Amino acid sequence: MGLTKQYLRFVPSGVCNIIASSTCNICFVVVNGQEGRFVAVGAAEDVVIWDLRLSEKTQQYTRDSKFLATYIASSEHYLAVGYSDGTVNTFDLRSGNLLQVFPGHRSPISSLAFDPRNLRLASGAKDTEIVVWDLVAESGIQRLSGHKGVVTQLKFMDSRNILVSASKDTFIKFWDLDTNFCFKTLAGHVTEVWSLNILLNDSYVIAGSSDSELRVWKILETTDSDISKIEERLNNLLVGEDTSDVACPIRCEKAGSILCKRRGRVVSMVSDPTRSVLACHGDDKIVELFQFVSDEVTDSRFQKRLKKQRKKSINTEEMSELDNETSPGLRDRVVRLAIIKTDHKIKSVDLIMGRGEEIRVAVLLNNNSVELHSLTVSNTKESQLIRKLTAQGHHSEVRAVAFSSDNLAFVSGAGSDVKVWNRASLTSLRTVPTGYVLSLCFAPGDRHVLAGLKDGKLLIIDIASADVLEEIEAHTSDLNCVTLLPDLTGCITGGGDKTVKVWQFELIPAQADDSDPENVRSKAKVLSLLHLRTLKLEETVLSLRASPDSKLLAVGLLDSTVKIFFLDTFKFFLKLYGHKLPISCLDICDDSTLIVTGSGDRNIKIWGLDFGDCHKSIFAHEDTVTSVVFVPNTHQFFTSGKDGFIKQWDADNFERIITLQGHHGEAWNLAISPNGQYLVSCGQDRVIRLHEITEEPLVLEDERETEREQEEEATLASGQDTVVAGGAALNLPSKKTVAAEKAAELILECLTESEKYRLAAEENRLEGKKPPPLPAIMRAYQVTCLEDELEECLILLPFSSVCQLLELLVPLLKTPHHRTELVVRTLIFLIKVHHGPITSAYTILPTLRKLTQLARERIKELKDLNGTNLYGLLFLQRKIERDEGIDIFTEAVKDRREKDRRKRKREKVAKAAIIAL
């Protein structure tokens, strides 16, 4: 076997700039018993807990996946997160550990809800289905199918075992979780139902649609008179008449509507934990708050309103109308509170009721920021902004990044500002307001940054003072690229005005300040640029680079060609043509022998700089190639594209080395550190990702094999539907996976081998020979699988194999088995799914009788064992506490809390030291 070329692997090292993703909601969480201070938000594929008082991260829940977090729900001690691949993860808020992973949907999660006792979790997704999960047993309970559109909201009722769901199919459904049956459907909407809520101890259902009207229904108990009416209607039913609302445990009567001041559809609608205050917002910058008051306050407001209207009434008709109004209406129940106004569009809100009738509202904005507003119930006029998270990231997409020469910092530019980041801690050190930044680079010495703007200006930014030293009118149109000269004496810029300009660094005296009487500042010198030469071209300049040997200048143009000039004289040298769309990026290796170009035609081309011949053309990305950078002192390079991927290539053998975790959306720019150890990228998802090289070797053959396995796992051989051969589709809460198919194949193989072994052993016994040796697979494998996928594995088995498996369960139950629960669960599931064929096969009935008796015995033994262990431990605990006079585990808890306090203090001191630099 020949030698294979090995590479070192780049791995993710961290992310920054993201405060909160607009694709996920925001919710309050309880940390260390404190409410109204911490909020959980989605940050791309991660979930971050922000301390709004200190404006810093307290916890970050990272999932080993490339899928976005789409929905968050919290309870007292747990946090549930739904992802775009249809899985739901639950985390412990106290320890930050991952507790459960529930793969039950095939599309992104759109809604999550905990039940009142926090023992169950309901999830809704874009696949129009609802799954209820048991958090204690860590398994799915039921799958509810009935909606024809995306499930937009889920709510559990406090006093009944009922789940209420809203969907884009314009319906609101009530599900009885005892029977898994939808007993009532509200069809009062013409367009999609975007959100709903249940208020005042399950008294009202309020829903928002695509208009400015919030529709309210009152929930009533079914009384004896209602039952008699139902029986009368059942006796008089006509053929084909709708009976969906005949026998319902509750009734819903239209209570009225609430008109909002916003325009457009409802984006989200949430209530506080007491379900008395409602917050609603749309696509605009306004949050409206409504309070549903108690019955006593409602009656008082009703009497005051009647008294006031009687004084104003003139004729007898108005008096008679007032006399007919005997009960309070919705306008007596609802009180409008203060309106919250923001500077940017609102994506999500959450609220919590504090002390002294204070309401705190957390608002997630579209510009990567979070605000915390406060108001009181008694003050219906004003709200106060008390906290704001804005300094931790850009408020628009990051378009350019660049590394410093000492590898310790990097700079990023967005639509309104430039930020300098510490590479080790990934914290923002400086923020400088600018215009729309298209290109960036550090000046020699790493004390200044050159920024090219969309209006053609070139900015010289002083990092120490976080100030713009000078604005230079470099170009009349987009300044698309700025790069340093190889000898570091100046820089080169190219813009949309079809010119390339060479600039020289120089130090000039600072301008005198009138507030400085001694002119101390005027004695210092500041960095400036002196224009030397201009190269005029026929097309817009999109990219440029000077060769490291200071001989050539490569310019990528809008006409899909690359022109190469001599750097000293601007004399034309070569023209590289072959791309079908404009050249968006290019780079030259350190030995000045190769140039790589990327284009809008999704190809990259590797050229030789000596003769301009094309060595290789590679189809690199599914969309425009946006950036190309060479690894220093090598012929390896990285590319990024609008498809979101970041790929590493070898220009010598034209091989793709690896595909790194990219961005959710378009990837805009790349930068690599001068030592080649770090790679930073930016993209449309507003995340700046840092990758670091490791000592782990990477072999191309192994990577290709891993990629092929992932492609195979993306498709299931038996299809996505869960069906039994010869039977109807089963609506199981679990989802079929590749692991389930492999486990089913392994079970089938083991059953086949066990049947062969049994026949051979019986034949040897009749002939008086010794039993044959066990098959290799029975000696090497233990047929096990994930319990979450147990049902999916068993469904794939044919009925003949099910009969064999039932017979093999008998010896497992005859002796005490360490997986008794799993064996009994398998038995119950097989009988439930194959009930019809099993009852028809009389030969298997004796086996079922044995299994029934053995299962009861084993379950009784297991219950006795658990009870003995539990009470034994309780006895030991009481004995230790009585003998030693202490509460057990108290010292361990105190030590853990003290360690956590010291750790937070050290992190805070370290961060303060970094910012001081």
Side-chain angles (χ1 to χ4, degrees), residues 189-207:
H189 294 84
V190 180
T191 56
E192 298 92 343
V193 182
W194 290 97
S195 185
L196 70 84
N197 223 300
I198 302 176
L199 301 175
L200 282 186
N201 299 322
D202 301 339
S203 298
Y204 292 93
V205 172
I206 182 169

Side-chain angles (χ1 to χ4, degrees), residues 768-916:
K769 299 180 181 178
K770 294 182 179 180
L774 290 174
I777 190 171
M778 297 180 66
R779 296 194 304 266
Y781 282 104
Q782 293 180 352
V783 183
T784 60
C785 64
L786 294 176
E787 293 191 18
D788 291 340
E789 301 170 350
L790 177 63
E791 291 89 351
E792 301 291 345
C793 301
L794 298 176
I795 284 175
L796 296 175
L797 300 179
F799 181 69
S800 59
S801 299
V802 170
C803 296
Q804 296 181 24
L805 183 57
L806 289 176
E807 294 177 357
L808 292 177
L809 294 180
V810 174
L812 292 179
L813 290 176
K814 281 185 177 179
T815 58
H817 197 266
H818 69 287
R819 302 295 294 272
T820 300
E821 295 182 19
L822 180 61
V823 175
V824 175
R825 180 181 170 188
T826 302
L827 172 62
I828 294 174
F829 181 79
L830 291 176
I831 295 175
K832 179 181 177 181
V833 173
H834 300 275
H835 180 266
I838 287 177
T839 54
S840 301
Y842 296 102
T843 56
I844 204 170
L845 291 180
T847 304
L848 290 180
R849 294 191 184 97
K850 294 180 183 178
L851 288 172
T852 302
Q853 180 182 358
L854 293 173
R856 289 176 178 174
E857 294 176 359
R858 295 288 85 81
I859 292 174
K860 184 178 182 300
E861 293 176 1
L862 188 62
K863 291 172 64 177
D864 295 341
L865 178 63
N866 291 336
T868 303
N869 292 338
L870 174 62
Y871 286 97
L873 292 174
L874 292 176
F875 173 77
L876 292 176
Q877 179 182 357
R878 290 194 297 268
K879 185 176 183 301
I880 294 174
E881 292 176 351
R882 183 181 66 252
D883 295 343
E884 300 184 6
I886 61 171
D887 292 335
I888 197 168
F889 303 131
T890 303
E891 296 296 330
V893 173
K894 288 183 178 179
D895 293 342
R896 177 63 182 272
R897 290 178 178 174
E898 181 66 20
K899 289 180 181 178
D900 293 341
R901 188 186 66 81
R902 292 175 182 174
K903 182 180 179 181
R904 290 194 298 268
K905 186 176 180 181
R906 288 196 303 268
E907 292 177 351
K908 187 175 181 181
V909 171
K911 183 176 180 180
I914 292 173
I915 295 176

Side-chain angles (χ1 to χ4, degrees), residues 93-265:
L93 284 172
R94 294 164 291 187
S95 62
N97 297 329
L98 175 63
L99 299 180
Q100 298 112 359
V101 178
F102 298 127
H105 295 276
R106 303 172 187 171
S107 58
I109 302 297
S110 57
S111 181
L112 293 171
F114 283 95
D115 74 333
R117 295 192 298 171
N118 298 325
L119 299 178
R120 293 176 298 175
L121 175 69
S123 62
K126 291 186 178 181
D127 58 5
T128 73
E129 294 184 337
I130 303 168
V131 179
V132 182
W133 308 93
D134 189 340
L135 298 179
V136 178
E138 300 184 1
S139 62
I141 303 176
Q142 55 215 150
R143 182 183 295 271
L144 308 176
S145 301
H147 283 293
K148 303 300 182 182
V150 176
V151 179
T152 55
Q153 192 65 267
L154 297 172
K155 290 293 179 182
F156 280 95
M157 298 185 72
D158 292 334
S159 56
R160 306 171 184 87
N161 192 21
I162 294 175
L163 178 68
V164 186
S165 63
S167 173
K168 287 187 180 181
D169 60 3
T170 72
F171 296 132
I172 298 174
K173 290 183 178 293
F174 291 77
W175 305 87
D176 188 347
L177 298 182
D178 293 329
T179 60
N180 300 345
F181 177 68
C182 174
F183 63 87
K184 191 171 189 60
T185 300
L186 297 180
H189 294 84
V190 180
T191 56
E192 298 92 343
V193 182
W194 290 97
S195 185
L196 70 84
N197 223 300
I198 302 176
L199 301 175
L200 282 186
N201 299 322
D202 301 339
S203 298
Y204 292 93
V205 172
I206 182 169
S209 183
S210 297
D211 50 21
S212 59
E213 181 182 356
L214 301 181
R215 294 167 177 82
V216 184
W217 287 268
K218 186 172 180 59
I219 302 176
L220 301 173
E221 293 282 354
T222 303
T223 60
D224 295 338
S225 60
D226 298 327
I227 294 175
S228 61
K229 293 179 181 178
I230 290 172
E231 292 177 351
E232 181 180 356
R233 183 180 174 188
L234 286 173
N235 295 330
N236 299 326
L237 278 178
L238 300 176
V239 177
E241 186 176 353
D242 184 17
T243 61
S244 59
D245 59 344
V246 172
C248 298
I250 59 175
R251 296 185 295 113
C252 293
E253 294 182 356
K254 188 67 180 295
S257 300
I258 302 174
L259 293 179
C260 300
K261 297 182 179 180
R262 58 172 176 79
R263 294 182 180 179
R265 72 173 182 89

Side-chain angles (χ1 to χ4, degrees), residues 46 179 221 525 545 650 902:
D46 301 332
T179 60
E221 293 282 354
K525 292 185 177 182
R545 193 77 66 200
D650 191 336
R902 292 175 182 174

Side-chain angles (χ1 to χ4, degrees), residues 418 437 439-441 449-453 457-461 479 482:
V418 169
V437 179
S439 54
L440 287 170
C441 74
V449 173
L450 304 179
L453 304 185
K457 293 181 181 179
L458 180 62
L459 304 184
I460 303 177
I461 301 173
L479 204 161
V482 55

